Every structure is written in structure tokens, then in C-alpha cells.
Amino acid sequence: MNRKKVLIIDDEESFCKLVKMNLELDESFKVETATDGKKGLELAKRFKPDVIILDIMMPKMSGFEVLEKIKKDPQTITIPVVMLSAKEDMDFQVKAAQLYDELYLIKPIDAPTLKAKIEEVLARRGIK
Amino acid sequence: MLDVKDIKDSLNKFIIDPLMVVDGQKNICMVNEALRYLVGYKEEDLVGKKVEVIFADSEKSILKRSNVEKLIGTGTILNIESYYQTKDGREVPVLFSSSVMHGQDGSDAWIVCTARDISERKKVEEELRTAYEQIKEAQDQLVQAEKLNAIGLLASGVAHEVKNPLGIIIQGINYLQAKFPGRKEDISNTFSMMMESAKRANSIVNTLLDFAKAKKLEVKLEDINNILDGALELVKANIKFENINIETDKKKNIPHIFVDKNRLEQVFVNLIMNAVQAMSEKGKIFIRSYDKVLSEPKQGISGRGDYFKSGEKVLVVEITDTGEGIPPEVFKKLFNPFFTTKGLHGGSGIGLYVSRNIIDMHKGLIEIQSTEGKGTKVSIFLRVPKREEAE
């Protein structure tokens, strides 16, 4: 069975772990996590996820910088990105849209909703 | 030796303050020109009349029509503020003095009364008082605005920090719920309570963020009835209406108006939720929309916002409940931020404050009428654009 591969990049380690645990309750998901942008970009190339969940407000490298790098690298350019932020900021959302994200979600988000949103993005790419 | 007539002429012509002489029976014997000019009477209207005719029966003064006869002549009165009444009924503020003079044999008493017109002084005092009150009010508003600004910044900062741990808690509860599905009722109940509380905390945080936001309006021509429908759907999705009956009477083909749909929907949700919460067990909420031409000018209960002129066309949304009503001591504080009567499980006390701000930003008005024990009606008045604006 081809598992749906999800990469989570968020500086909150507990959040990464719990989202992974929740998604992997469904065996069709395989989740990897990274707690900063640099590790996230490396993992994106190696793990080749079907979708990336990307936090915006992170130290060192912000989610926007990570998104820009993803969209400039031929190895990762086609991977859909779901932005996740605690900040419901219109400027953030406009910026994210300009940088070709697929979806912008606001924290806190519960597991069933997040899973449904990920499946929606994957379904648009023909991944079920 | 001075002639009495000369003295009278001098008093008449050269004394610039209003003056009169009253006899022992408190009848006016003589008035000068300045007094006649001040009160608008002719000499013959006053001479021979009781002294009280000159005085107004003003509550503002100790010396007035009802007691002047008793008080003057008992001794010297110096610079007492009193009010003279003019022929056309106006009250003129004066600084009144009187002294008693006796004849050489001590028999006849004459009372000489002078009065200085202090209308100008009073006017300046009043202007000063008004100016002072305006400055004080402006200063209070500035202090309040500064305070709210600081609270807003703090709230916004804290709110974002709180959302991250809340996300972790919610994901954690989701995981535990999935791992222990329906094992025991007490466990599943505990999870539900935890989830409910986490979501409540999130909703409080969201309200704080709304409070902190100084977002610009994104206005478009909208049908207010559609916005009302949207708000009702949102409310119904969030709470159960077992014993609360909602009736609507939305006027068809109502004029479209320039509003920010999302912000106005937020106002309607707040108001409908308030109405629901005002009814402890059962009741009725009546929502009505219509347009009308105002027959009189209108200003909101808060004293804020623009005046609506008489003859202006407005769109009105009314939300009426059959709840507990608002006690007078609460009524005064309704629009204060962080004021709530809902206790632990209610709101953060920002709903009405935010709602009023949103309506203010739309140059509209919010009006509340309430009868304790019977219910409350909240009316929102919004401007209907003139035809050329709407095109």
C-alpha cells in the first residue's frame, strides 16, 4: 500500500509529535517531523512528502522563508504546502497565497479537521 | 441744602447700577433708569408695587420672590446672588445689596437696594465650566483609549502565545479519544469536558484578538438579510435551541447597503448569542429587518457615532428577546469592555464593546431598550446609501 507521506515543520516539538501520532492512527499515513526550517528542507528532499504542513512563526528561519526555498528547488517545487499559524493575519494570508501555498490554517486545529484538510489537498493531487 | 428732587435725579442719571428705594411697607418708592432698562418696566409699572415684583422665584438663589419681603429691611445685605425677573419673564442674575436708612426721628425706614447685572460673568463662568468639562471628557477618553490600546497590545501578544499550547492540548485530547474510544463513560466524559474547555479557552482568545484588532472595514454592497441568515446559521451550529423559538420577519427587496459582511455577521452573532443567554430555559427571539425614513434625529445610547438626521433613510435590524431584561445598574455598564454578567461560563465581556465599535465604524447606531423581567430589544440603524452612491 502506498502510504500518504506528510512532513510537519513546526518548532513546537510536542505539536509535531501529537499530529504525527494522530495522523498515523490511520495506517494510510506516514509522517515525518522537523522542528526547524533547515531540517525541514533537508527532510523534504530526502523523504519526498506528498504534502508539507508548515508553521509560519518559527525562530531562525520563518515559514515564509522555508516556503520560498521549497518553491525554488526543483526537487520540492511540486509539493503542496499547508501553512499553519496561530496568527489570523490578513497580511500573512495574502503573502502565503502569493507564495503558492495550498491552504492557510489557523491554530489551534483539532486532529479530525487537520486530517480532513490534508486529505482535501491530497485529493486535488489525485492522491487517495 | 440738597433738594430731594436733585438727589432723585442724580440717582436716576448717574448711578449706573440698577437701584431702587423701598419703604418700610416694602413698597417700591423709586427706581432708577438702569433698573428700568434691566427689567423692561416703566416707572409707573413699579412705583407703589410690592418689592417682590422685581424678583424671580428662582431655586438657584436664597433671596427670591417668596421671601424677599421678609428678608430685606432686617439689616444690611451685601452681594447676594439673586435673580431679577424681567417684564418678558427672563431671569437676570444680579449681585444684590441693600441697606436700611432711618429718618432723623427714627420712625421711617427706607431700604436702598442696588443690584449689579452679572449676566456676562455668569455666561463666562458657564462657558468656562463647559470648556473644562469638555477638556476633562476628552482627557478621560484619551486615557481610556490609551488604556485600551495597551490592553489590546497585551491581549494580542498573549493570545498568540496561548494558541500554540492550546493546539497541543487539543491534538492530545484527540489522540487519547481515538486510543480509548468509549471504554468507560467517565473517561469519555472527561475527554469531552477537556475538549470543551480547550475550545472555550480558544474562543476567549479569539474574542481578545477581535478586541485588539483595529482592522479596516472591507465594505461592499450587501443584502443585510443574507448576513442575518449567515449569523443565524452560525449560532444554530454552536448551540442547541430546544426551548428557544426563533422567529424572523425580514423585509423583502430591502435596499442593499455598504457594509463589511464578516464584521456585521460577527455583530449579529454576538447579539443573538446574548439574546439566547438572556433566556435561562425557554423563550422567544424575534429578528426583524426593515427600512424606514426617520421622523426625528437619532443618536445612539452610547452617545457615540454620527447623528442621523430627520428624514434620513435607514435600515433597521431588531433583535428582541423575552429574557430577563437588564437591571438599571447593569445598563450603564453595558458597553464597557470586559464587563460581563455571564459568570464563568459566559463570555469575556467584549462582545457588546466590539459590536458597538463595528457599528460605529459603519457610521451606524446601536440602541438598547430593556424592561427587567420582560426582555430586551437591540436595534441597529445603518445608513442606506443614496442612489448615486449605490450605483
Side-chain angles (χ1 to χ4, degrees), chain B residues 269-289:
Chain B
V269 168
N270 277 339
L271 297 178
I272 300 170
M273 291 289 271
N274 279 351
V276 172
Q277 282 159 348
M279 290 177 290
S280 44
E281 280 172 9
K282 56 180 183 174
K284 197 175 94 178
I285 297 175
F286 183 57
I287 299 171
R288 191 173 166 222
S289 70

PDB file of all heavy atoms in Angstrom, chain B residues 269-289:
ATOM      1  N   VAL B 269     -24.124  37.737  15.335  1.00  0.00           N
ATOM      2  CA  VAL B 269     -23.887  36.521  16.139  1.00  0.00           C
ATOM      3  C   VAL B 269     -23.815  36.906  17.616  1.00  0.00           C
ATOM      4  O   VAL B 269     -24.468  36.296  18.467  1.00  0.00           O
ATOM      5  CB  VAL B 269     -22.595  35.788  15.687  1.00  0.00           C
ATOM      6  CG1 VAL B 269     -22.190  34.722  16.696  1.00  0.00           C
ATOM      7  CG2 VAL B 269     -22.792  35.156  14.318  1.00  0.00           C
ATOM      8  N   ASN B 270     -23.033  37.957  17.922  1.00  0.00           N
ATOM      9  CA  ASN B 270     -22.902  38.415  19.320  1.00  0.00           C
ATOM     10  C   ASN B 270     -24.269  38.724  19.925  1.00  0.00           C
ATOM     11  O   ASN B 270     -24.577  38.316  21.046  1.00  0.00           O
ATOM     12  CB  ASN B 270     -22.084  39.707  19.386  1.00  0.00           C
ATOM     13  CG  ASN B 270     -20.598  39.448  19.368  1.00  0.00           C
ATOM     14  OD1 ASN B 270     -20.166  38.340  19.683  1.00  0.00           O
ATOM     15  ND2 ASN B 270     -19.817  40.435  18.994  1.00  0.00           N
ATOM     16  N   LEU B 271     -25.080  39.474  19.164  1.00  0.00           N
ATOM     17  CA  LEU B 271     -26.362  39.926  19.706  1.00  0.00           C
ATOM     18  C   LEU B 271     -27.337  38.755  19.876  1.00  0.00           C
ATOM     19  O   LEU B 271     -28.056  38.688  20.875  1.00  0.00           O
ATOM     20  CB  LEU B 271     -26.966  41.012  18.822  1.00  0.00           C
ATOM     21  CG  LEU B 271     -26.142  42.302  18.717  1.00  0.00           C
ATOM     22  CD1 LEU B 271     -26.806  43.293  17.777  1.00  0.00           C
ATOM     23  CD2 LEU B 271     -25.941  42.945  20.086  1.00  0.00           C
ATOM     24  N   ILE B 272     -27.337  37.834  18.910  1.00  0.00           N
ATOM     25  CA  ILE B 272     -28.255  36.696  19.024  1.00  0.00           C
ATOM     26  C   ILE B 272     -27.822  35.797  20.190  1.00  0.00           C
ATOM     27  O   ILE B 272     -28.645  35.329  20.973  1.00  0.00           O
ATOM     28  CB  ILE B 272     -28.336  35.889  17.700  1.00  0.00           C
ATOM     29  CG1 ILE B 272     -28.832  36.788  16.563  1.00  0.00           C
ATOM     30  CG2 ILE B 272     -29.274  34.697  17.846  1.00  0.00           C
ATOM     31  CD1 ILE B 272     -28.719  36.184  15.176  1.00  0.00           C
ATOM     32  N   MET B 273     -26.501  35.619  20.316  1.00  0.00           N
ATOM     33  CA  MET B 273     -25.991  34.802  21.440  1.00  0.00           C
ATOM     34  C   MET B 273     -26.377  35.452  22.774  1.00  0.00           C
ATOM     35  O   MET B 273     -26.769  34.762  23.711  1.00  0.00           O
ATOM     36  CB  MET B 273     -24.462  34.672  21.376  1.00  0.00           C
ATOM     37  CG  MET B 273     -23.968  33.848  20.229  1.00  0.00           C
ATOM     38  SD  MET B 273     -24.318  32.101  20.408  1.00  0.00           S
ATOM     39  CE  MET B 273     -22.880  31.556  21.266  1.00  0.00           C
ATOM     40  N   ASN B 274     -26.251  36.776  22.853  1.00  0.00           N
ATOM     41  CA  ASN B 274     -26.644  37.489  24.078  1.00  0.00           C
ATOM     42  C   ASN B 274     -28.109  37.227  24.384  1.00  0.00           C
ATOM     43  O   ASN B 274     -28.494  37.006  25.530  1.00  0.00           O
ATOM     44  CB  ASN B 274     -26.442  38.993  23.917  1.00  0.00           C
ATOM     45  CG  ASN B 274     -25.004  39.399  24.142  1.00  0.00           C
ATOM     46  OD1 ASN B 274     -24.190  38.596  24.570  1.00  0.00           O
ATOM     47  ND2 ASN B 274     -24.680  40.634  23.825  1.00  0.00           N
ATOM     48  N   ALA B 275     -28.943  37.287  23.326  1.00  0.00           N
ATOM     49  CA  ALA B 275     -30.383  37.081  23.497  1.00  0.00           C
ATOM     50  C   ALA B 275     -30.639  35.656  24.010  1.00  0.00           C
ATOM     51  O   ALA B 275     -31.440  35.456  24.926  1.00  0.00           O
ATOM     52  CB  ALA B 275     -31.106  37.323  22.180  1.00  0.00           C
ATOM     53  N   VAL B 276     -29.925  34.692  23.426  1.00  0.00           N
ATOM     54  CA  VAL B 276     -30.102  33.294  23.856  1.00  0.00           C
ATOM     55  C   VAL B 276     -29.717  33.164  25.333  1.00  0.00           C
ATOM     56  O   VAL B 276     -30.434  32.557  26.132  1.00  0.00           O
ATOM     57  CB  VAL B 276     -29.233  32.334  22.993  1.00  0.00           C
ATOM     58  CG1 VAL B 276     -29.264  30.926  23.565  1.00  0.00           C
ATOM     59  CG2 VAL B 276     -29.722  32.327  21.557  1.00  0.00           C
ATOM     60  N   GLN B 277     -28.578  33.788  25.676  1.00  0.00           N
ATOM     61  CA  GLN B 277     -28.085  33.644  27.039  1.00  0.00           C
ATOM     62  C   GLN B 277     -28.942  34.407  28.052  1.00  0.00           C
ATOM     63  O   GLN B 277     -28.894  34.126  29.242  1.00  0.00           O
ATOM     64  CB  GLN B 277     -26.626  34.095  27.122  1.00  0.00           C
ATOM     65  CG  GLN B 277     -25.704  33.020  26.579  1.00  0.00           C
ATOM     66  CD  GLN B 277     -24.347  33.548  26.165  1.00  0.00           C
ATOM     67  OE1 GLN B 277     -24.130  34.755  26.076  1.00  0.00           O
ATOM     68  NE2 GLN B 277     -23.432  32.642  25.891  1.00  0.00           N
ATOM     69  N   ALA B 278     -29.725  35.380  27.569  1.00  0.00           N
ATOM     70  CA  ALA B 278     -30.597  36.139  28.476  1.00  0.00           C
ATOM     71  C   ALA B 278     -31.800  35.303  28.904  1.00  0.00           C
ATOM     72  O   ALA B 278     -32.504  35.645  29.843  1.00  0.00           O
ATOM     73  CB  ALA B 278     -31.066  37.418  27.803  1.00  0.00           C
ATOM     74  N   MET B 279     -32.027  34.191  28.151  1.00  0.00           N
ATOM     75  CA  MET B 279     -33.185  33.350  28.487  1.00  0.00           C
ATOM     76  C   MET B 279     -32.689  32.058  29.104  1.00  0.00           C
ATOM     77  O   MET B 279     -32.023  31.265  28.446  1.00  0.00           O
ATOM     78  CB  MET B 279     -33.999  33.083  27.218  1.00  0.00           C
ATOM     79  CG  MET B 279     -34.680  34.343  26.767  1.00  0.00           C
ATOM     80  SD  MET B 279     -35.592  34.183  25.255  1.00  0.00           S
ATOM     81  CE  MET B 279     -34.304  34.006  24.087  1.00  0.00           C
ATOM     82  N   SER B 280     -32.986  31.887  30.384  1.00  0.00           N
ATOM     83  CA  SER B 280     -32.398  30.755  31.086  1.00  0.00           C
ATOM     84  C   SER B 280     -32.909  29.411  30.573  1.00  0.00           C
ATOM     85  O   SER B 280     -32.142  28.497  30.333  1.00  0.00           O
ATOM     86  CB  SER B 280     -32.631  30.901  32.584  1.00  0.00           C
ATOM     87  OG  SER B 280     -33.960  31.304  32.808  1.00  0.00           O
ATOM     88  N   GLU B 281     -34.203  29.283  30.373  1.00  0.00           N
ATOM     89  CA  GLU B 281     -34.701  27.978  29.943  1.00  0.00           C
ATOM     90  C   GLU B 281     -35.413  28.037  28.590  1.00  0.00           C
ATOM     91  O   GLU B 281     -35.059  27.370  27.649  1.00  0.00           O
ATOM     92  CB  GLU B 281     -35.627  27.397  31.001  1.00  0.00           C
ATOM     93  CG  GLU B 281     -34.827  26.778  32.142  1.00  0.00           C
ATOM     94  CD  GLU B 281     -35.694  26.373  33.286  1.00  0.00           C
ATOM     95  OE1 GLU B 281     -36.930  26.416  33.147  1.00  0.00           O
ATOM     96  OE2 GLU B 281     -35.137  26.017  34.327  1.00  0.00           O
ATOM     97  N   LYS B 282     -36.450  28.859  28.551  1.00  0.00           N
ATOM     98  CA  LYS B 282     -37.158  28.930  27.280  1.00  0.00           C
ATOM     99  C   LYS B 282     -37.548  30.375  26.973  1.00  0.00           C
ATOM    100  O   LYS B 282     -37.508  31.242  27.845  1.00  0.00           O
ATOM    101  CB  LYS B 282     -38.398  28.039  27.303  1.00  0.00           C
ATOM    102  CG  LYS B 282     -39.347  28.341  28.438  1.00  0.00           C
ATOM    103  CD  LYS B 282     -40.521  27.409  28.371  1.00  0.00           C
ATOM    104  CE  LYS B 282     -41.512  27.747  29.466  1.00  0.00           C
ATOM    105  NZ  LYS B 282     -42.723  26.998  29.393  1.00  0.00           N
ATOM    106  N   GLY B 283     -37.898  30.588  25.723  1.00  0.00           N
ATOM    107  CA  GLY B 283     -38.281  31.933  25.354  1.00  0.00           C
ATOM    108  C   GLY B 283     -38.324  32.101  23.849  1.00  0.00           C
ATOM    109  O   GLY B 283     -38.232  31.117  23.095  1.00  0.00           O
ATOM    110  N   LYS B 284     -38.464  33.349  23.440  1.00  0.00           N
ATOM    111  CA  LYS B 284     -38.608  33.617  22.010  1.00  0.00           C
ATOM    112  C   LYS B 284     -37.650  34.739  21.596  1.00  0.00           C
ATOM    113  O   LYS B 284     -37.480  35.711  22.321  1.00  0.00           O
ATOM    114  CB  LYS B 284     -40.052  34.041  21.728  1.00  0.00           C
ATOM    115  CG  LYS B 284     -40.428  33.957  20.275  1.00  0.00           C
ATOM    116  CD  LYS B 284     -41.894  34.266  20.072  1.00  0.00           C
ATOM    117  CE  LYS B 284     -42.059  35.728  19.754  1.00  0.00           C
ATOM    118  NZ  LYS B 284     -43.457  36.107  19.483  1.00  0.00           N
ATOM    119  N   ILE B 285     -37.026  34.537  20.445  1.00  0.00           N
ATOM    120  CA  ILE B 285     -36.194  35.601  19.881  1.00  0.00           C
ATOM    121  C   ILE B 285     -36.858  36.035  18.577  1.00  0.00           C
ATOM    122  O   ILE B 285     -37.204  35.189  17.749  1.00  0.00           O
ATOM    123  CB  ILE B 285     -34.760  35.114  19.608  1.00  0.00           C
ATOM    124  CG1 ILE B 285     -34.077  34.708  20.920  1.00  0.00           C
ATOM    125  CG2 ILE B 285     -33.945  36.198  18.915  1.00  0.00           C
ATOM    126  CD1 ILE B 285     -32.716  34.100  20.748  1.00  0.00           C
ATOM    127  N   PHE B 286     -37.045  37.315  18.437  1.00  0.00           N
ATOM    128  CA  PHE B 286     -37.705  37.825  17.241  1.00  0.00           C
ATOM    129  C   PHE B 286     -36.715  38.718  16.495  1.00  0.00           C
ATOM    130  O   PHE B 286     -36.207  39.689  17.058  1.00  0.00           O
ATOM    131  CB  PHE B 286     -38.961  38.604  17.652  1.00  0.00           C
ATOM    132  CG  PHE B 286     -39.759  39.105  16.494  1.00  0.00           C
ATOM    133  CD1 PHE B 286     -40.231  38.231  15.523  1.00  0.00           C
ATOM    134  CD2 PHE B 286     -40.034  40.452  16.353  1.00  0.00           C
ATOM    135  CE1 PHE B 286     -40.966  38.689  14.447  1.00  0.00           C
ATOM    136  CE2 PHE B 286     -40.771  40.933  15.280  1.00  0.00           C
ATOM    137  CZ  PHE B 286     -41.234  40.037  14.319  1.00  0.00           C
ATOM    138  N   ILE B 287     -36.422  38.343  15.256  1.00  0.00           N
ATOM    139  CA  ILE B 287     -35.450  39.105  14.475  1.00  0.00           C
ATOM    140  C   ILE B 287     -36.169  39.769  13.309  1.00  0.00           C
ATOM    141  O   ILE B 287     -36.874  39.109  12.550  1.00  0.00           O
ATOM    142  CB  ILE B 287     -34.322  38.188  13.956  1.00  0.00           C
ATOM    143  CG1 ILE B 287     -33.583  37.566  15.151  1.00  0.00           C
ATOM    144  CG2 ILE B 287     -33.340  38.966  13.087  1.00  0.00           C
ATOM    145  CD1 ILE B 287     -32.599  36.499  14.785  1.00  0.00           C
ATOM    146  N   ARG B 288     -35.983  41.064  13.197  1.00  0.00           N
ATOM    147  CA  ARG B 288     -36.734  41.794  12.197  1.00  0.00           C
ATOM    148  C   ARG B 288     -35.799  42.717  11.422  1.00  0.00           C
ATOM    149  O   ARG B 288     -34.872  43.299  12.001  1.00  0.00           O
ATOM    150  CB  ARG B 288     -37.777  42.625  12.952  1.00  0.00           C
ATOM    151  CG  ARG B 288     -38.815  43.250  12.089  1.00  0.00           C
ATOM    152  CD  ARG B 288     -39.876  43.898  12.973  1.00  0.00           C
ATOM    153  NE  ARG B 288     -40.672  44.767  12.137  1.00  0.00           N
ATOM    154  CZ  ARG B 288     -41.083  45.965  12.470  1.00  0.00           C
ATOM    155  NH1 ARG B 288     -40.783  46.464  13.650  1.00  0.00           N
ATOM    156  NH2 ARG B 288     -41.793  46.688  11.652  1.00  0.00           N
ATOM    157  N   SER B 289     -36.017  42.843  10.123  1.00  0.00           N
ATOM    158  CA  SER B 289     -35.248  43.820   9.343  1.00  0.00           C
ATOM    159  C   SER B 289     -36.215  44.627   8.479  1.00  0.00           C
ATOM    160  O   SER B 289     -37.172  44.076   7.950  1.00  0.00           O
ATOM    161  CB  SER B 289     -34.218  43.109   8.469  1.00  0.00           C
ATOM    162  OG  SER B 289     -34.866  42.415   7.440  1.00  0.00           O
TER     163      SER B 289
END
